[in-house]
Amino acid sequence: MSASSEPSCAPSPFDHARADVILRSSDDVDFHVFKLFLSLASPFFETLFDLPQSSEEMSTDVEMKDGLPVIPVSEDSKTLDPLLRFCYPCTLAEDPALEDFRDVVNVLEAAKKYSLDTVEKTVCKSLFNPKILEANSLRCFAIACRTRMQEECALAARYTLWEPLVPTWFEEIELITSTELLTLLVYHRKCATAIQALKTDLSWITTEYTQSAAVPWMVGKTSSGSYCHCTRSSSGKYPLYYGNTVAQWWEAFMDSTFLDLQEKPCAETIRQDVEKAIQSVRQRNCGHCSAVVPGGMRDFGTLFINKVEELISKVTLSLRHITWRP
Ligand SMILES: [Zn+2]
């Protein structure tokens, strides 16, 4: 009895009865495919299939199964399946949805290896969906630079704002030039600087909340007009409402958020700092603040995020030193 098990058969449409060749993945899954579709997609396959494969023509080396030549490939079935689906016409297979960074990169590498140029472009685009970008912005940026996709490059750069200015090492950093990395660093800093304008000009707050009565949670004033026992700021750093100083915890929130935004100039920074501020207020057990701060702060956080995103959208990634493919 043989120790290795029989190769399994790939699912539809790679089990087609009229297929004319079998590609065997590295993990022993047999894909019954049509030479024509693959030959049309890539000159590599065209050449490969032109080589004599049937046992009548020659070679006893070529394994035959169900009367079809078996060609072993180095990709595993998880990579081969989406790659082949991309090569097939939409009547037989829909383009697969790739939602994991590693999967996309594996398929991308295989597409390159087999000179599947159109597939390479299509697969590359699937990297730039929010789910993948959120967790892999720097890697996506590097790949977009390398594959010369300008729009995707700018999109990925926007997501890199979730990372600190000096990121930890990532494998794909080797793909980009120092000019491209510098471009990204300058963009990051420009975004961080642009946001600081919100600290000096507070009109974005008073335009939204015209009177202190609109922000009882910020000034610690109860509905009866008296103040709660929470400490109020004495620094005058955020002079929003005449005669009403803001609560000290809110001033601390603003200070630390603007500091954090220098490192990560993005909405997520604000979201996290808002929740932290709410937590700290709750811990103080002030009856007034515990009731009004969570709602008030979350609304304020939304306003803050909108303003930040508005400013960041005006900052452009300066790509003029990068040579793009025509
Ligand atoms: Zn209070």
Side-chain angles (χ1 to χ4, degrees):
M1 237 177 90
S2 159
S4 62
S5 53
E6 274 286 293
S8 58
C9 190
S12 171
F14 307 119
D15 55 355
H16 205 286
R18 295 177 69 180
D20 50 8
V21 69
I22 295 172
L23 296 184
R24 180 168 293 162
S25 66
S26 61
D27 54 342
D28 274 340
V29 180
D30 285 346
F31 290 77
H32 294 64
V33 293
F34 292 92
K35 287 180 190 175
L36 178 67
F37 295 149
L38 304 190
S39 297
L40 289 174
S42 147
F44 179 97
F45 282 118
E46 198 176 7
T47 314
L48 179 74
F49 297 143
D50 275 348
L51 298 171
Q53 276 146 6
S54 90
S55 48
E56 292 139 38
E57 283 174 65
M58 58 164 281
S59 102
T60 46
D61 297 351
V62 178
E63 185 185 337
M64 300 294 286
K65 185 184 171 189
D66 308 331
L68 302 178
V70 178
I71 302 176
V73 297
S74 57
E75 288 71 27
D76 63 10
S77 55
K78 206 177 167 206
T79 304
L80 197 57
D81 185 280
L83 185 77
L84 294 171
R85 282 177 201 275
F86 278 118
C87 296
Y88 265 48
C90 58
T91 44
L92 277 177
E94 278 180 20
D95 279 358
L98 296 167
E99 286 183 335
D100 176 78
F101 179 79
R102 250 310 117 198
D103 293 347
V104 181
V105 170
N106 288 342
V107 177
L108 210 53
E109 274 164 13
K112 267 194 205 119
K113 176 177 148 192
Y114 296 116
S115 311
L116 295 158
D117 295 347
T118 319
V119 174
E120 189 187 331
K121 270 183 213 141
T122 314
V123 177
C124 216
K125 298 247 181 238
S126 60
L127 268 185
F128 300 91
N129 84 49
K131 206 178 149 194
I132 293 182
L133 280 168
E134 279 170 20
N136 308 276
S137 57
L138 288 154
R139 301 168 135 191
C140 292
F141 175 80
I143 291 170
C145 280
R146 184 59 179 266
T147 48
R148 302 280 169 241
M149 299 197 299
Q150 200 163 347
E151 258 173 56
E152 285 76 10
C153 201
L155 177 67
R158 181 89 186 244
Y159 278 87
T160 65
L161 300 175
W162 293 36
E163 302 294 328
L165 180 61
V166 178
T168 44
W169 185 87
F170 55 101
E171 196 186 328
E172 291 76 10
I173 198 169
E174 312 285 355
L175 298 176
I176 55 175
T177 65
S178 356
T179 302
E180 287 158 350
L181 182 62
L182 182 64
T183 299
L184 188 65
L185 295 180
V186 168
Y187 170 73
H188 198 292
R189 205 185 47 188
K190 270 159 75 182
C191 289
T193 308
I195 292 172
Q196 298 298 313
L198 296 175
K199 195 179 181 183
T200 40
D201 179 359
L202 300 168
S203 60
W204 58 280
I205 301 176
T206 46
T207 305
E208 181 76 14
Y209 307 101
T210 50
Q211 297 167 355
S212 63
V215 283
W217 54 272
M218 193 196 285
V219 294
K221 209 171 189 176
T222 65
S223 51
S224 61
S226 57
Y227 289 100
C228 72
H229 296 296
C230 295
T231 320
R232 270 179 302 281
S233 158
S234 53
S235 71
K237 244 193 257 177
Y238 299 96
L240 289 168
Y241 306 103
Y242 181 74
N244 281 289
T245 50
V246 299
Q248 199 170 49
W249 67 263
W250 188 78
E251 181 183 291
F253 157 80
M254 291 294 274
D255 286 349
S256 62
T257 303
F258 277 109
L259 205 63
D260 293 343
L261 283 170
Q262 283 190 3
E263 182 73 350
K264 294 181 186 177
C266 65
E268 195 50 34
T269 301
I270 298 172
R271 246 175 247 129
Q272 284 173 7
D273 286 0
V274 162
E275 291 311 313
K276 263 190 259 167
I278 292 172
Q279 278 310 106
S280 78
V281 166
R282 276 189 175 137
Q283 276 163 13
R284 273 205 323 277
N285 281 324
C286 165
H288 167 72
C289 290
S290 295
V292 293
V293 166
M297 269 303 272
R298 289 195 184 110
D299 285 347
F300 176 72
T302 306
L303 172 71
F304 201 168
I305 285 169
N306 290 342
K307 292 292 159 186
V308 159
E309 295 201 320
E310 201 180 301
L311 290 171
I312 287 177
S313 66
K314 288 179 192 156
V315 179
T316 50
L317 177 72
S318 174
L319 299 165
R320 66 205 151 90
H321 297 297
I322 302 176
T323 326
W324 299 100
R325 191 189 282 167

